[in-house]
């Protein structure tokens, strides 16, 4: 089995692949204050809960946008699983060519998402990631990672609004029945949900034009389902897209 780990700013996703299939996966909160051994205890307890023997794990790959935890997870995998993890963004055999001013600054999660999307939908493709930030990664028909647009995440944007507006209450991210809100809560929900839907549609349309007019659009991330139902431009939602890309990058480097 292959252990694939995606360390984000908000959540850490972990999945086990066997014969190319995702057999189980977990999601935990990101906490940079935790030590490697603390994460190891948590990881091993998750294995135990599903009767998984750590000796059956043959390899590991890590995508991380949190440098401190990249080191922590690399260490725990080496110490507790006896494996040398493949680190996305530091591989000897890249799966995709990156055509940006500084390829080294492209997030490993964006690379993994692009690789996963290409494997499922081919090219050209646009990947919309709904996480701490809302990211739009563009891959051309020649299988080249052309660049990214980064906007605030729905959650982070909402938190900033609540903090900045003294009279604005914090609200749940639920779609209201209509755009015209009749009270403050409905007005906030409308602006957040339909506002981000408009943002997604606008950026995707501009990216498609720059890619030549056509591209498949795949969404991933925790809030992908919330917005995908409000736009016509998203062709598919793949919650575990990053883990898929991490696995492919691992296999390419064996």
């Amino acid at each position: 089995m292959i252990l694939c780990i995606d360390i984000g700013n908000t959540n850490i996703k972990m999945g086990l692949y066997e014969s190319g299939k995702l057999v189980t996966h977990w999601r935990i909160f990101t906490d940079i204050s935790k030590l490697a051994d603390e994460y190891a205890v948590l990881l091993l307890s998750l294995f135990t809960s599903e009767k998984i023997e750590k000796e059956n794990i043959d390899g590991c790959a890590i995508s991380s946008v949190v440098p401190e935890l990249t080191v922590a997870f690399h260490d725990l995998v080496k110490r507790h699983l006896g494996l040398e993890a493949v680190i996305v963004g530091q591989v000897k055999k890249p799966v995709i060519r990156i055509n940006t001013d500084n390829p080294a600054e492209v997030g490993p999660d964006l690379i993994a998402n692009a690789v996963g999307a290409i494997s499922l939908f081919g090219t050209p493709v646009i990947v919309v990631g709904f996480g701490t930030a809302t990211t739009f990664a563009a891959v051309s028909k020649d299988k080249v990672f052309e660049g990214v647009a980064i906007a605030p995440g729905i959650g982070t944007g909402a938190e900033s609004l609540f903090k900045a507006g003294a009279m604005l209450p914090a609200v749940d991210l639920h779609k209201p029945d209509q755009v015209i809100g009749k009270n403050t809560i409905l007005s906030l929900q409308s602006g957040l949900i339909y506002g981000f839907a408009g943002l997604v549609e606008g950026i995707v349309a501009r990216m498609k034009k720059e890619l030549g007019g056509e591209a498949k659009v795949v969404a991933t991330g925790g809030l992908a389902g919330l917005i995908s139902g409000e736009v016509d431009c998203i062709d598919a939602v793949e919650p575990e897209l990053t883990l898929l890309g991490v696995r492919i990058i691992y296999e390419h480097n064996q």
Side-chain angles (χ1 to χ4, degrees):
M1 287 189 288
I2 308 302
L3 174 63
C4 295
I5 302 172
D6 170 33
I7 303 172
N9 290 299
T10 304
N11 294 307
I12 298 171
K13 293 185 291 184
M14 299 176 287
L16 280 173
Y17 282 88
E18 187 170 25
S19 301
K21 293 183 179 181
L22 184 64
V23 294
T24 189
H25 59 92
W26 307 278
R27 184 189 299 262
I28 61 176
F29 284 115
T30 301
D31 185 354
I32 61 172
S33 67
K34 272 190 170 66
L35 301 174
D37 286 339
E38 292 179 283
Y39 274 114
V41 170
L42 178 56
L43 180 60
L44 294 175
S45 68
L46 291 172
F47 289 170
T48 301
S49 69
E50 300 201 29
K51 297 181 174 59
I52 294 166
E53 300 290 338
K54 67 177 185 178
E55 291 78 14
N56 292 332
I57 299 174
D58 308 305
C60 176
I62 299 171
S63 166
S64 173
V65 297
V66 186
E68 301 94 330
L69 294 185
T70 308
V71 175
F73 271 80
H74 179 272
D75 290 347
L76 81 84
V77 167
K78 191 169 186 177
R79 180 178 176 186
H80 294 276
L81 301 180
L83 300 171
E84 188 66 34
V86 170
I87 307 298
V88 176
Q90 301 176 21
V91 295
K92 294 181 179 179
K93 295 193 296 181
V95 178
I96 186 173
R97 185 166 73 85
I98 299 175
N99 181 32
T100 63
D101 293 340
N102 184 5
E105 73 181 8
V106 176
D109 56 333
L110 300 178
I111 298 171
N113 283 342
V115 169
I118 291 169
S119 74
L120 294 174
F121 303 101
T123 58
V125 66
I126 297 168
V127 183
V128 186
F130 292 93
T132 304
T134 305
T135 59
F136 302 78
V139 180
S140 69
K141 63 180 181 180
D142 298 320
K143 199 179 173 181
V144 176
F145 188 104
E146 298 290 356
V148 186
I150 303 175
I154 305 173
T156 51
E159 289 174 9
S160 296
L161 180 61
F162 302 150
K163 289 179 181 178
M167 296 184 67
L168 297 179
V171 299
D172 293 331
L173 292 175
H174 291 306
K175 182 189 77 170
D177 293 331
Q178 57 188 41
V179 177
I180 301 173
K182 295 298 186 180
N183 56 54
T184 301
I185 291 176
L186 292 176
S187 299
L188 284 167
Q189 289 175 331
S190 172
L192 290 168
I193 302 302
Y194 298 122
F196 269 91
L199 179 150
V200 169
E201 290 176 330
I203 292 182
V204 165
R206 290 170 184 265
M207 275 194 168
K208 280 187 175 182
K209 186 176 180 180
E210 292 181 17
L211 288 172
E214 291 297 329
K216 285 286 188 180
V217 181
V218 55
T220 191
L223 293 173
L226 182 65
I227 299 299
S228 63
E230 304 308 316
V231 299
D232 297 324
C233 61
I234 293 176
D235 298 304
V237 176
E238 296 290 339
E240 311 308 331
L241 187 67
T242 315
L243 294 179
L244 171 62
V246 170
R247 191 208 87 207
I248 294 170
I249 292 168
Y250 170 86
E251 292 172 345
H252 190 72
N253 280 270
Q254 296 309 298

